[in-house]
Amino acid sequence: MYWPIDLIVLTFVILCAIAAISVKDLLGTAILFGAYSFMMCLLWAVMGAVDVAFTEASVGAGVSTVFFVAAVFRTSRRTKDSNF
Amino acid sequence: MLYGTADFPDWGDPSSPASTHLSDYYIEKTIEDTQVPNIVTSVLADYRGFDTMFETAVIFTAGLACFLLLRDFRGKKERFYRHKPTGVILHIKDGKKILAVGKEFEHMDKDWVPSDLIIKTVCRILIPFIQIYAMYVVAHGDFSPGGGFQGGVIFGSSLILLAISYDLKTLVKRIKEKVLGIFAALGVLIYVGIAAICMPMGGNFLDYSKLAPLVPGDPHHVRALGMLGVEIGVGFAVMAVMAIIYINIVSEGRHDEGL
């Protein structure tokens, strides 16, 4: 059976993106953003852009998550948004 | 916006404008021109070298902006020390009194948690392998996916892992702030330097093929060697900038305590 793996991964990308902007805990948002980057990395790899996937894995899923966690550590963990 | 994307050429469409002129040239001529098997690297570092050069400058500027906005030289007056054998905590309010940290005392702060032996040991064993892998990624940028940017980020993340598993002071003590700043500037300078040397050799800016008299070995490989040189420059700059950004964010610019 043929598996449309890119569509499955794309669904996860969109789910992670929506979750990242709707969750109120900013630490959770940082982790969700890391998950988003990892799914995006899988999508690049499926499309054959291995160099871009490598960059996305190291920069997006790796270092930027750490930067976000560090910024949350030094500011507040709860967002004051009331839109959601 | 989604409606607008319907007008884009299909993914991998052979008749799209990009595939009809440029891609053919790169796919057919890369090996002949540059002797580099990885076409992506040759496009990024050679055919479109200007793009990558200014990307490196952007990274450098990001590190500089983080440093200028966040760095705080005042330092904290209050200090906490823990006497290791007894566990007694000293709270010193006079900023001038600095105890020697070593066998007897250790630094601590309000968010202090005892460092875990397992995490420390695992990270200590892992960090050299991560760093060697980072150098492999930089050096093999010509042959396999990777390059200066990814290698630099991996090397920088190994430094961040050291700061997380021990504490920030360990990292700042190992690599001084000045050294990181010099590395960041040196990386950009290596890139621009290699590009500028091509001009007195009779070529254009970034025309690595004119470097042949300076480099021993097969003159056909000179463009690959030029790419390797600029990738090393990018790696230096990115590695230093990642560490600068992390240290400044996590300690609010004081470089004393943090995650």
Side-chain angles (χ1 to χ4, degrees):
Chain A
M1 184 187 152
Y2 170 70
W3 280 79
I5 191 160
D6 49 347
L7 289 180
I8 297 169
V9 174
L10 183 66
T11 318
F12 276 113
V13 168
I14 293 169
L15 280 179
C16 283
I18 291 170
I21 55 171
S22 53
V23 166
K24 285 208 166 181
D25 183 358
L26 289 177
L27 195 63
T29 306
I31 304 300
L32 277 167
F33 201 70
Y36 167 85
S37 281
F38 181 68
M39 292 299 162
M40 205 62 217
C41 158
L42 286 182
L43 204 56
W44 291 125
V46 167
M47 288 195 284
V50 192
D51 276 82
V52 188
F54 200 172
T55 313
E56 184 77 44
S58 58
V59 180
V63 171
S64 72
T65 308
V66 178
F67 287 169
F68 281 132
V69 172
V72 169
F73 176 69
R74 279 297 170 195
T75 52
S76 72
R77 196 171 157 177
R78 304 290 296 179
T79 174
K80 291 191 184 71
D81 283 354
S82 55
N83 297 334
F84 288 98
Chain B
M1 208 162 79
L2 281 173
Y3 176 74
T5 57
D7 285 341
F8 283 173
D10 280 344
W11 178 60
D13 183 9
S15 61
S16 70
S19 301
T20 46
H21 307 291
L22 277 172
S23 303
D24 296 349
Y25 180 83
Y26 291 146
I27 290 166
E28 284 165 13
K29 298 284 178 114
T30 295
I31 293 280
E32 199 180 304
D33 281 355
T34 64
Q35 311 271 327
V36 170
N38 186 2
I39 299 172
V40 178
T41 303
S42 73
V43 171
L44 284 178
D46 192 315
Y47 293 116
R48 296 189 201 164
F50 263 109
D51 191 57
T52 312
M53 189 177 85
F54 286 109
E55 236 167 65
T56 317
V58 165
I59 298 283
F60 177 71
T61 315
L64 200 66
C66 255
F67 174 82
L68 291 176
L69 286 175
L70 291 172
R71 186 73 174 104
D72 183 357
F73 288 102
R74 282 172 296 183
K76 241 186 186 174
K77 280 197 171 164
E78 287 184 324
R79 283 166 204 279
F80 291 88
Y81 292 96
R82 182 170 171 274
H83 189 236
K84 274 190 201 169
T86 57
V88 176
I89 293 163
L90 300 175
H91 178 192
I92 295 174
K93 288 184 179 169
D94 181 11
K96 279 160 196 154
K97 204 168 221 171
I98 294 168
L99 292 177
V101 177
K103 278 189 180 169
E104 265 191 274
F105 291 101
E106 66 179 344
H107 282 294
M108 60 178 290
D109 50 60
K110 283 173 201 150
D111 314 308
W112 188 80
V113 271
S115 38
D116 193 284
L117 183 69
I118 296 172
I119 294 176
K120 268 175 136 175
T121 313
V122 168
C123 290
R124 197 171 61 212
I125 296 169
L126 213 58
I127 284 170
F129 289 102
I130 296 175
Q131 291 178 342
I132 287 175
Y133 178 63
M135 287 183 232
Y136 164 82
V137 169
V138 175
H140 269 239
D142 296 354
F143 304 101
S144 57
F149 203 86
Q150 292 94 326
V153 168
I154 293 170
F155 206 102
S157 64
S158 78
L159 300 179
I160 293 172
L161 187 64
L162 180 70
I164 289 175
S165 60
Y166 284 69
D167 57 354
L168 195 66
K169 284 196 182 74
T170 315
L171 173 64
V172 176
K173 212 187 289 170
R174 286 281 168 89
I175 298 188
K176 297 277 186 300
E177 189 189 6
K178 269 183 194 163
V179 177
L180 284 176
I182 288 171
F183 268 141
L186 184 74
V188 182
L189 203 68
I190 288 174
Y191 201 131
V192 181
I194 288 176
I197 288 172
C198 304
M199 287 164 70
M201 302 299 290
N204 290 321
F205 197 69
L206 281 165
D207 187 0
Y208 309 131
S209 57
K210 294 292 187 292
L211 294 173
L214 296 177
V215 184
D218 189 356
H220 295 294
H221 279 90
V222 72
R223 281 177 79 164
L225 285 171
M227 275 183 235
L228 181 64
V230 300
E231 297 271 20
I232 289 169
V234 175
F236 271 127
V238 172
M239 179 268 287
V241 165
M242 290 301 147
I244 289 173
I245 292 178
Y246 176 76
I247 292 171
N248 278 314
I249 286 181
V250 85
S251 67
E252 291 179 329
R254 285 193 303 274
H255 293 205
D256 51 359
E257 56 192 50
L259 274 178

